[in-house]
Structure formats: C-alpha cells, structure tokens
C-alpha cells in the first residue's frame, strides 16, 4: 500500500506539472497572437499569467513583457485610466523589482501627470540600479531642476553662513548636546556638521522625496550613512520611540527664510520643542 500511495502522488504531481507546462505554452502563444493583432491589454494579461505560473521564464520573456507593458500603458494613459496604469506598473515591479527600464518608464508617466516628487524617486532608483542608463540620468536631472529650489545652491555656497552654523553646532555639542535632530535636512549639511562636531546620535528628517534621496547620497558620499539616521518624514509626524528612540538635546534647521510661515516652520519648531526636545535642565 505505501508504494501504491507514493506512486499515486507521483503521478498526480506529474499530471499537475504537465498541465502547468501546457497552460504556460498556450498562454505564450496567445500573448504572441495578441501582440500581432496589437491587442496589448490581453497580451499583458497572458504574460502576467505566464510569469506567475513559470517564474523561471522571467529572463526569457523580459524584453517582450516590457514592450507589452509599455504599449498597454500608452493605451491606458490615452484613455485616462490612471489607476489601471499604475496597477500595471505595480504588478510589473513585483515581478521585476530591480528593472531599471520599468522604473524609468513609471517615472516618466508620473512626471507627465504632475507627480514630480514621486517620479524623481523612480528615476533615482533606475540610476542606482544602472548608473550608465543615460535616459534615467537625464530624467532624474530634469525633474531635480523642478524640485530642488535655487536657494539650496545659494546657501550651500554661502561660506560665511555655513561657518556660522558649524560654529554654533560645535558650541552646542561641546556644551553637552549629544543627540541632534535636523528638521528639513535638505542636502544633510547640518546633520554632517553635528556628527563631525562629535554628536553621538544624529537624526534628520526631510519631507521631499527628491531631497531625501539627495541627502542619502550626500551622506553616503561622506561615509556617514551609518552615523546619521535619515527619515523621509515631516517633523510633525515623527514619533518616539517608533522613529527616534528618545527626545533629542538639540534641534537644528535651515528652513528659516523668506518662506518662514508658508513652510510651516513655526509649527514644526513648536512641535519639536514640546514633543521631541529634552526639557531644559
């Protein structure tokens, strides 16, 4: 009996495998037929089925799947079926999470729809995956020009201003401020000042996705990625101990400019004083 049961199970598995291969083969044929007839939506559905049933074929059908996705996305875009378009890209990125071409294409759609910050994130990921991908690099620089305010460059090149911040942070750290929160970190320059001054714990928050990614690159280029914790959050949304383990002893920010009230910095600083900063001794 045991041998008989084992044989039945083996036959059952063989039958299921044969059925799977048959379904995959038929779906591939159907997908190709649909492509020849420019029925990109149905072809895309067939490729999804194939890739879910036979993930071992990912490399084989990758280029054809990309072509089908992009053509179907163009149709969805022209029909203003925005959510369906995004759903298709999400499905594609679940199958190919590290595909720079799909990431770049997703970014292009987001940019055209006005979601520039989100687009920058996908362009940045595409460049990270393949630094030689010229289209993604060009797209990232283009969207960065929209998102990175000109005053960032003016302030970064203001040596007198930066030296004043550096000395103030050094003085505060020497006076006992060992944990620092940088609100609206931008490029991360104040966080790096704090770490170089000797702060034990440095946290930095930045709401803009583009500036957050830029800060990560700058901090990593200065070999401080393990010493500065970057948060893609608004300071008002920081929670203890979820985001930072405890209240900090120093808050720094460089968001005080002509946009003082428009940026909500007053509200942010009041929140930091009441909820994130250690009470004065």
């Amino acid at each position: 009996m045991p041998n008989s049961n084992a044989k039945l199970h083996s036959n059952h598995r063989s039958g299921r495998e044969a059925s799977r291969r048959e379904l995959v083969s038929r779906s591939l044929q159907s997908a190709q037929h649909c492509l020849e007839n420019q029925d990109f939506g149905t072809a895309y559905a067939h490729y999804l089925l194939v890739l879910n049933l036979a993930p071992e074929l990912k490399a084989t059908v990758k280029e054809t799947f990309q072509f089908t996705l992009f053509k179907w996305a163009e149709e969805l875009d022209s029909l203003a079926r925005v959510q369906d378009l995004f759903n298709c890209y999400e499905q594609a990125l679940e199958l190919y999470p590290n595909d720079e071409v799909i990431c770049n294409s997703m970014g292009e759609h987001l940019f055209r729809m006005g979601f520039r910050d989100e687009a920058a994130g996908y362009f940045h990921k595409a460049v990270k995956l393949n630094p030689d991908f010229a289209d993604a690099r060009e797209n990232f620089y283009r969207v960065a020009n929209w998102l990175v305010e000109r005053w960032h460059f003016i302030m970064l090149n203001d040596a007198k201003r930066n030296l004043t911040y550096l000395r103030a942070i050094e003085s505060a750290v020497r006076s006992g401020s060992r944990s620092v929160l940088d609100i609206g970190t931008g490029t991360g320059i104040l966080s790096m000042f704090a770490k170089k001054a000797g702060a034990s714990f440095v946290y930095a928050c930045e709401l803009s996705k583009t500036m957050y990614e830029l800060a990560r690159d700058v901090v990593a280029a200065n070999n401080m990625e393990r010493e500065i914790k970057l948060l893609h959050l608004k300071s008002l949304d920081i929670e203890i101990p979820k985001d930072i383990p405890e209240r900090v002893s120093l808050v720094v920010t460089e968001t005080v400019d002509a946009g003082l009230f428009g940026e909500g910095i007053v509200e942010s600083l009041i929140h930091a004083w009441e909820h994130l900063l250690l009470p004065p001794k």
Side-chain angles (χ1 to χ4, degrees), residues 59 64 120 225 279:
T64 310
E225 64 270 31

Side-chain angles (χ1 to χ4, degrees), residues 1 11 13 35 44 64 93 112 168 172 206 234 244 255:
M1 279 296 286
N11 290 339
R13 281 196 302 270
L35 286 178
Y44 175 76
T64 310
L93 287 169
R112 284 196 294 270
E206 175 57 55
K234 191 175 182 179
I244 61 177
T255 51

Side-chain angles (χ1 to χ4, degrees), residues 6-274:
K7 187 175 181 179
L8 284 173
H9 284 302
S10 177
N11 290 339
H12 183 61
R13 281 196 302 270
S14 298
R16 282 192 303 177
E17 178 59 21
S19 297
R20 184 187 73 91
R21 287 198 299 267
E22 177 66 20
L23 181 55
V24 167
S25 177
R26 289 187 178 183
S27 293
L28 283 171
Q29 292 173 8
S30 297
Q32 189 58 43
H33 179 73
C34 290
L35 286 178
E36 291 169 359
N37 289 284
Q38 298 190 345
D39 182 1
F40 300 114
T42 307
Y44 175 76
H46 280 299
Y47 277 119
L48 280 185
L49 178 62
V50 168
L51 289 168
N52 279 288
L53 286 174
E56 68 273 11
L57 295 178
K58 282 184 179 181
T60 304
V61 304
K62 179 179 177 178
E63 289 188 9
T64 310
F65 175 76
Q66 287 176 342
F67 172 81
T68 307
L69 168 67
F70 300 155
K71 286 294 186 181
W72 179 224
E74 287 176 8
E75 285 191 23
L76 292 173
D77 193 10
S78 68
L79 295 170
R81 292 171 57 182
V82 176
Q83 190 57 56
D84 289 335
L85 185 153
F86 288 155
N87 288 342
C88 285
Y89 273 97
E90 287 174 3
Q91 291 166 339
L93 287 169
E94 285 181 7
L95 292 166
Y96 295 97
N98 295 317
D99 189 289
E100 69 274 18
V101 178
I102 296 176
C103 286
N104 183 63
S105 181
M106 175 65 156
E108 289 175 338
H109 281 287
L110 286 165
F111 184 78
R112 284 196 294 270
M113 293 176 187
F115 301 106
R116 291 169 182 160
D117 209 23
E118 293 81 356
Y122 281 97
F123 293 146
H124 185 265
K125 182 178 179 180
V127 173
K128 282 287 190 182
L129 290 167
N130 182 2
D132 296 325
F133 189 7
D135 287 349
R137 281 205 320 272
E138 182 179 340
N139 283 332
F140 180 68
Y141 295 147
R142 178 173 52 139
V143 75
N145 282 331
W146 284 91
L147 293 172
V148 179
E149 300 287 350
R150 298 298 95 189
W151 52 261
H152 276 289
F153 301 105
I154 296 171
M155 285 162 44
L156 285 171
N157 287 283
D158 187 340
K160 184 177 179 180
R161 176 190 177 99
N162 293 337
L163 184 59
T164 300
Y165 268 104
L166 174 59
R167 286 174 175 169
I169 291 171
E170 286 177 339
S171 176
V173 171
R174 282 197 301 267
S175 298
S177 297
R178 307 304 297 175
S179 56
V180 180
L181 172 63
D182 180 6
I183 294 177
T185 193
T187 59
I189 186 170
L190 298 189
S191 295
M192 291 187 290
F193 283 172
K195 196 62 198 177
K196 286 182 178 180
S200 301
F201 305 99
V202 180
Y203 312 99
C205 65
E206 175 57 55
L207 181 59
S208 165
K209 177 67 173 175
T210 303
M211 294 308 301
Y212 166 74
E213 295 291 355
L214 179 60
R216 288 182 61 187
D217 286 348
V218 172
V219 168
N222 285 273
N223 299 313
M224 293 187 181
E225 64 270 31
R226 294 183 180 180
E227 301 175 326
I228 298 173
K229 182 177 181 180
L230 287 163
L231 303 167
H232 182 214
L233 283 174
K234 191 175 182 179
S235 61
L236 296 172
D237 296 329
I238 294 176
E239 298 179 15
I240 298 173
K242 177 183 175 183
D243 302 307
I244 61 177
E246 57 188 4
R247 287 175 177 249
V248 297
S249 50
L250 177 67
V251 170
V252 297
T253 185
E254 204 173 9
T255 51
V256 181
D257 67 350
L260 175 63
F261 297 102
E263 291 181 2
I265 188 60
V266 173
E267 184 182 4
S268 296
L269 291 176
I270 291 173
H271 175 79
W273 177 268
E274 293 178 343

